Amino acid sequence: MMRLVQTQKHPFHVVDSSPWPLFTALSVFLTFSGLTLYMHFYSKGGFILALELFFVVICASFWWRDVVREATFEGQHTSFVRSGLKMGMVLFIVSEAMLFFAFFWGFFHASLNPVPEIGCVWPPKGIEALNPFHVPFLNTLVLVHSGAMVTWAHYSVLAGNRRDAISALIFTILLAVFFTFLQAYEYVNAPFGLSDNVYGSVFFMTTGLHGFHVIIGTLFLAVCLIRLITHHLTKKIHVGFEAAIWYWHFVDVVWIFVFIFIYWWAFPVEV
């Protein structure tokens, strides 16, 4: 009896039709609409923002579930596909670097050439800058140590040591959560606000953007921890974990620049 066998003659992964990329994109777009309503104190703005964030998480979770299934259980991620995923992550990180470059451009434009409206000085008159060697320095130590922990986790995976990998990844996530807690504490106790001239705007937008990336990176690492515990990751195939590590190191490097320039360099020195 003759059997027809369908053979794939290329190394690419032709994905099945999925509604989740479209739904996720729409949810993200609506989230920014909700954020705009919330920041302008519209009625129910906070509820709308929370609801849209919930839809983003749900849609993205279903999308990532499909990707994990294709990679882990269906074997669709060949070496060629994994190489493409790595290149895509590199390009994504480069695009994120350009985003932060724009924010730093705004900071240097305002700080190196302060206008008369803010007293021709930086920080502007009436602004009490945060001491960089209090909470910001502690946050720097926390984030640098988290980078060391995630590197330990990576080398443990490469060595086939799941126990150390899981322990190191748990420590990394705990440090990431502690960083976010310290950042929130700093925001609550800051002597200036988002609307306090250009200094407040640049400070909160840049550090807030970085904090958002920390939260995304924490979720990324948490998913990797779950996959590591459930034996999805091996010492030969762990592209998702490598992408999370690259993203986390990128967050570390950006924070170093944030600490040096926005906190330390801009802090007035008494003579």
Side-chain angles (χ1 to χ4, degrees), residues 149 152-171 223-238 241:
M149 288 292 102
W152 174 28
H154 186 206
Y155 277 99
S156 297
V157 169
L158 292 176
N161 190 339
R162 291 184 64 255
R163 182 176 179 180
D164 282 358
I166 292 172
S167 299
L169 200 50
I170 290 174
F171 279 124
V223 171
C224 291
L225 175 62
I226 296 172
R227 297 192 65 196
L228 186 59
I229 293 173
T230 53
H231 298 272
H232 286 184
L233 306 179
T234 66
K235 61 182 179 180
K236 290 185 178 181
I237 302 177
H238 49 272
F241 187 36

Side-chain angles (χ1 to χ4, degrees), residues 82-94:
R82 294 197 298 272
S83 176
L85 291 173
K86 291 180 180 180
M87 181 58 66
M89 190 64 192
V90 170
L91 294 176
F92 172 70
I93 291 176
V94 170

Side-chain angles (χ1 to χ4, degrees), residues 38-255:
Y38 174 73
M39 294 180 68
H40 286 82
F41 305 104
Y42 277 81
S43 177
K44 305 295 184 181
F47 172 76
I48 294 174
L49 175 61
L51 182 63
E52 290 165 352
L53 284 173
F54 172 77
F55 281 118
V56 169
V57 172
I58 292 298
C59 294
S61 298
F62 280 118
W63 186 6
W64 296 335
R65 177 208 60 182
D66 292 345
V67 174
V68 170
R69 184 188 67 246
E70 293 164 356
T72 307
F73 303 108
E74 297 179 3
Q76 299 281 9
H77 288 186
T78 63
S79 60
F80 192 86
V81 173
R82 294 197 298 272
S83 176
L85 291 173
K86 291 180 180 180
M87 181 58 66
M89 190 64 192
V90 170
L91 294 176
F92 172 70
I93 291 176
V94 170
S95 70
E96 292 290 280
M98 294 299 102
L99 176 62
F100 278 100
F101 178 81
F103 279 82
F104 277 104
W105 183 286
F107 167 76
F108 285 116
H109 176 76
S111 60
L112 294 177
N113 186 30
V115 295
E117 287 78 4
I118 61 174
C120 294
V121 292
W122 190 267
K125 287 185 177 181
I127 292 292
E128 180 185 351
L130 297 172
N131 192 322
F133 296 103
H134 288 172
V135 174
F137 185 68
L138 177 58
N139 256 346
T140 303
L141 295 179
V142 168
L143 211 54
V144 169
H145 278 81
S146 72
M149 288 292 102
V150 80
T151 301
W152 174 28
H154 186 206
Y155 277 99
S156 297
V157 169
L158 292 176
N161 190 339
R162 291 184 64 255
R163 182 176 179 180
D164 282 358
I166 292 172
S167 299
L169 200 50
I170 290 174
F171 279 124
T172 303
I173 294 171
L174 291 176
L175 288 171
V177 172
F178 186 48
F179 175 93
T180 303
F181 169 78
L182 290 175
Q183 192 77 61
Y185 172 82
E186 183 182 72
Y187 281 2
V188 171
N189 294 278
F192 54 88
L194 178 64
S195 59
D196 287 333
N197 64 52
V198 67
Y199 184 89
S201 299
V202 169
F203 175 85
F204 281 104
M205 289 300 295
T206 306
T207 57
L209 179 66
H210 177 268
F212 176 74
H213 281 74
V214 170
I215 294 173
I216 296 299
T218 304
L219 295 175
F220 204 169
L221 292 173
V223 171
C224 291
L225 175 62
I226 296 172
R227 297 192 65 196
L228 186 59
I229 293 173
T230 53
H231 298 272
H232 286 184
L233 306 179
T234 66
K235 61 182 179 180
K236 290 185 178 181
I237 302 177
H238 49 272
V239 176
F241 187 36
E242 286 184 328
I245 293 170
W246 295 348
Y247 187 85
W248 195 251
H249 285 317
F250 167 73
V251 169
D252 284 348
V253 172
V254 170
W255 176 257

